[in-house]
Structures are given as C-alpha cells and as structure tokens.
C-alpha cells in the first residue's frame, strides 16, 4: 500500500474533477479559512508566540493558501513547512507557496518554536495493516500473487496476541485494521507539541475503534475501484481509527479534543457566518456557496463520516469547536 501510493502520488495530481477525488479545501475556500482562524484564535489566546505553520500532505496547497490568508488577517504570519513526498504536488505547492520549506517526512520539521500543524486527508493514505480471523485464529492479511492477479492471503504466524481480547472470538473472515505508520507519526507529533508548544488538527474520514471491518479501498475517477488491480494507478486508503490516533498521542501528555464530526465542528466555529459574508460579497455565487457549506457539513455528505481530532500542547488554551 505504501509503495503503490508513493507511485500514485509521485506521478499525478489526483485532485479535482479531472482527477480521482475532491477534498474539502478544493470544495470551498471556507474550509481552509476556518482551519486557519481556528489555529489563529488558539495562538492568540496562547499569547501570540513566534510559531511555525506545518502541513502534512498539502495536495495543491489550497488549504494552506486559504488558512494563511485568514491567519494574516488575525496578525499571524508564520514560516511555512510542508511535508510532501510527491514531486508533482511539490511543484504545484511551490507555485502557490514559493517561500515554503519542504520535508520528506515530519521528523525533520523544525524543533524549538510552537507548531501549528494541519493534516487533511493525509492519514488515510498511509499504509494500513490488516489481521484476518481464520479457522485457526488470527493471522496477518498479506498480499500474494496467484499467477495472474494480486490476492489477499492469510499469513502463517499466529497474531491472536495483538488482537484486543473482546474481538478475539470474532467470526472467521473478520478483519481488524491498524495503522502503525500513522500512529508513529502522531506519537512523534505529540512529543513535539509537549516540547515545543502549539496544536495539531487532524481531519479525515474514519471511526473510533477498535472495530471489526475492512475499509481498505481504492478510488479512481470519483468511483470505487478494485484495490488489487494495477497498484499505483488508483488512490488506496483505509479509514482512520481516531481512537488509535488519540491513544498514540495520549502517552505524551498533550490535551486531546475529539474526534468530533466535521459538520458539527465547522458549524460551531462559524461556517454559517463565513458563508453569509461570502454570499453578501458575491451575490451571484450565493447558491454555490450554500451548496459548498452543505457538502462540507451535511451528515449525508462529508459532515458525519469526516472527523476532526485536535492535539493541543500542555498549558495551551482549550480550542474552539469541540465543546
Ligand atoms: N491535504 C490535501 C491533499 C490530500 S491527498 C487536500 O486536502 O486536498 C494526500 C496528500 O498526502 C498528497 O499531497 C500526497 O502526495 C501526500 N502524501 C501521501 N502519502 C504521503 C507520505 N507518506 N508522506 C508525505 N506525503 C504523503
């Protein structure tokens, strides 16, 4: 999954109508603006320290552009650090954020100053691990080649010891997912927040696990596709287990808020007021703005499945939108 996604993102810009999928910042400027204002509000109440803006997997840089514009209006103009592996998307980001600094992974983000970090639809793209309950107990689910196609196969090593006790007797065929790569990054982020100060906002589609279920999926041209066919040509994801991410952060003493549904969070932090202001400024676009707000917040679209988790440094104020 890691290898296939590295090739996938390295060879294309997958975002937008002509690509494979559309993300919240590409739907409306309101999304990035509200993320930026959320960070700026927290930063202001923390005493306006000299801070760094960082983003994991910034795509086309749209969220960063919108967030930084909103931050500037609030008096916050941080240096920009982007974690991005794709050369194609780095080039797109460089066009819009020429003064940014790029990183291959979050491990080289600057130490020392408070971090204001954003990750939207980043963790779902990291490799997931699956265990499957067989007649003989739990095994890792591996990928094999049967001569003509990639197929999922059960490994030979018993894995029962790492399955939560309450799930060990699940039906044969049951699948349990985890995301060690995501947990490792969140653990490192939490350590940095504890040391450096700041906050991280992580937004993705997901659930609070552990739970039985297979969420490994591929998307191509805005439709679900077979994840085992032509790896590297389609977007591979797994839903994010926010309880597991929170657990990875909890060991470091940071404050954890959420995960809450994206729709409720955006409504609480003022997407209604922002939509009204935009519609007043551009009455001809009022219907389009209202439709974008609905798409971002309604339960049937992105409002409920997408969730928002905030990690806040010890001693920093309570963030908006989670009460
Ligand atoms: N946040 C953007 C893009 C989401 S797509 C948006 O909301 O529109 C996922 C992003 O993560 C892309 O920029 C992709 O190139 C990047 N990415 C995927 N796997 C990565 C990895 N292992 N390390 C760094 N970036 C990665």
């Amino acid at each position: 999954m890691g290898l296939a996604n590295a090739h996938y993102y390295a060879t294309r810009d997958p975002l937008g109508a002509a690509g494979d999928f559309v993300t919240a910042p590409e739907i409306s400027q309101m999304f990035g603006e509200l993320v930026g204002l959320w960070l700026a509000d927290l930063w202001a109440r923390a005493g306006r320290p000299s801070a760094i803006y960082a983003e994991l997997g910034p795509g086309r840089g749209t969220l960063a552009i919108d967030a930084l514009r909103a931050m500037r209006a609030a008096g916050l103009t941080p240096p920009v650090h982007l974690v991005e592996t794709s050369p194609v998307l780095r080039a797109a980001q460089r066009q819009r954020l020429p003064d940014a600094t790029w990183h291959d992974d979050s491990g080289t983000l600057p130490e020392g100053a408070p971090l204001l970090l954003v990750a939207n639809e980043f963790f779902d793209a990291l490799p997931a691990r699956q265990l499957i309950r067989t007649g003989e107990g739990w095994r890792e689910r591996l990928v094999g080649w049967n001569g003509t196609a990639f197929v999922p196969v059960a490994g030979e090593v018993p894995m029962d010891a790492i399955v939560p006790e309450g799930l060990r007797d699940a039906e044969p065929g049951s699948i349990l997912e985890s995301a060690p790569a995501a947990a490792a990054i969140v653990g490192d982020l939490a350590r940095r927040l504890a040391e450096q100060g700041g906050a991280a906002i992580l937004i993705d589609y997901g659930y609070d696990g552990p739970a039985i279920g297979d969420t490994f999926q591929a998307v191509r041209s805005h439709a679900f596709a077979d994840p085992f066919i032509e790896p590297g040509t389609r977007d591979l994801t797994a839903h994010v287990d926010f309880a597991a991410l929170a657990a990875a952060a909890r060991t470091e003493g940071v404050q954890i808020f959420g995960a809450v549904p994206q729709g409720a969070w955006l409504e609480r932090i003022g997407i209604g007021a922002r939509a009204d202001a935009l519609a007043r400024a551009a009455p001809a676009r009022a219907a389009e703005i209202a439709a974008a707000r609905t798409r971002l917040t309604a339960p049937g679209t992105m409002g409920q499945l997408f969730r928002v988790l905030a990690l806040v440094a010890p001693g920093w104020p309570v963030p908006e939108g989670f009460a």
Side-chain angles (χ1 to χ4, degrees):
M1 184 177 176
L3 217 63
N5 267 351
H7 178 86
Y8 173 77
Y9 282 109
T11 49
R12 76 207 71 214
D13 172 355
L15 293 154
D20 290 327
F21 58 92
V22 173
T23 56
E26 302 295 335
I27 291 171
S28 168
Q29 70 188 78
M30 294 187 286
F31 187 80
E33 288 171 347
L34 286 164
V35 168
L37 287 173
W38 180 89
L39 285 170
D41 166 66
L42 202 56
W43 164 83
R45 288 187 286 125
R48 302 180 168 258
S50 180
I52 291 159
Y53 177 85
E55 194 175 328
L56 309 182
R60 291 177 172 169
T62 308
L63 194 163
I65 290 282
D66 293 334
L68 289 162
R69 186 178 59 251
M71 288 175 170
R72 202 176 309 126
L76 172 57
T77 54
V80 176
H81 288 262
L82 305 176
V83 177
E84 175 60 70
T85 42
S86 160
V88 173
L89 290 171
R90 270 194 192 198
Q93 293 154 18
R94 191 169 287 117
Q95 297 251 316
R96 305 170 91 180
L97 298 153
D99 298 328
T101 304
W102 279 266
H103 300 261
D104 289 329
D105 64 72
S106 56
T108 56
L109 289 172
E111 310 260 353
L115 270 183
L116 304 173
L117 183 138
V118 179
N120 185 63
E121 289 211 45
F122 171 76
F123 287 100
D124 64 283
L126 300 184
R129 182 187 201 189
Q130 289 189 333
L131 302 181
I132 183 161
R133 174 77 155 81
T134 69
E136 285 85 55
W138 287 91
R139 300 287 187 269
E140 182 156 17
R141 200 173 183 227
L142 306 170
V143 181
W145 175 255
N146 69 4
T148 48
F150 290 110
V151 286
V153 292
E156 285 169 8
V157 181
M159 291 288 177
D160 303 70
I162 59 167
V163 173
E165 251 175 62
L167 299 177
R168 281 196 197 148
D169 293 333
E171 292 287 296
S174 298
I175 286 171
L176 179 65
E177 293 180 341
S178 62
I185 291 172
V186 169
D188 181 58
L189 276 181
R191 179 191 61 76
R192 283 168 168 281
L193 292 175
E195 280 174 23
Q196 300 175 220
I201 183 140
L202 317 180
I203 307 168
D204 233 304
Y205 43 97
Y207 60 100
D208 281 314
I212 295 295
D214 178 7
T215 74
F216 178 53
Q217 66 183 34
V219 163
R220 188 179 205 181
S221 300
H222 307 274
F224 290 111
D226 187 329
F228 291 105
I229 292 178
E230 294 177 5
T233 67
R234 48 203 67 200
D235 181 45
L236 299 182
T237 63
H239 288 207
V240 171
D241 177 355
F242 281 98
L245 294 192
R250 196 163 288 125
T251 57
E252 303 290 342
V254 298
Q255 308 176 71
I256 297 168
F257 299 91
V260 296
Q262 171 175 300
W265 183 75
L266 288 171
E267 291 294 344
R268 284 191 200 120
I269 66 170
I271 194 172
R274 187 62 188 138
D276 290 347
L278 285 175
R280 271 197 306 278
R285 291 183 51 217
E288 175 201 328
I289 293 161
R293 175 185 174 186
T294 300
R295 191 162 166 200
L296 292 171
T297 59
T301 48
M302 297 176 79
Q304 192 71 38
L305 178 59
F306 279 75
R307 297 160 74 77
V308 184
L309 178 71
L311 311 178
V312 178
W316 274 50
V318 172
E320 290 295 334
F322 292 89

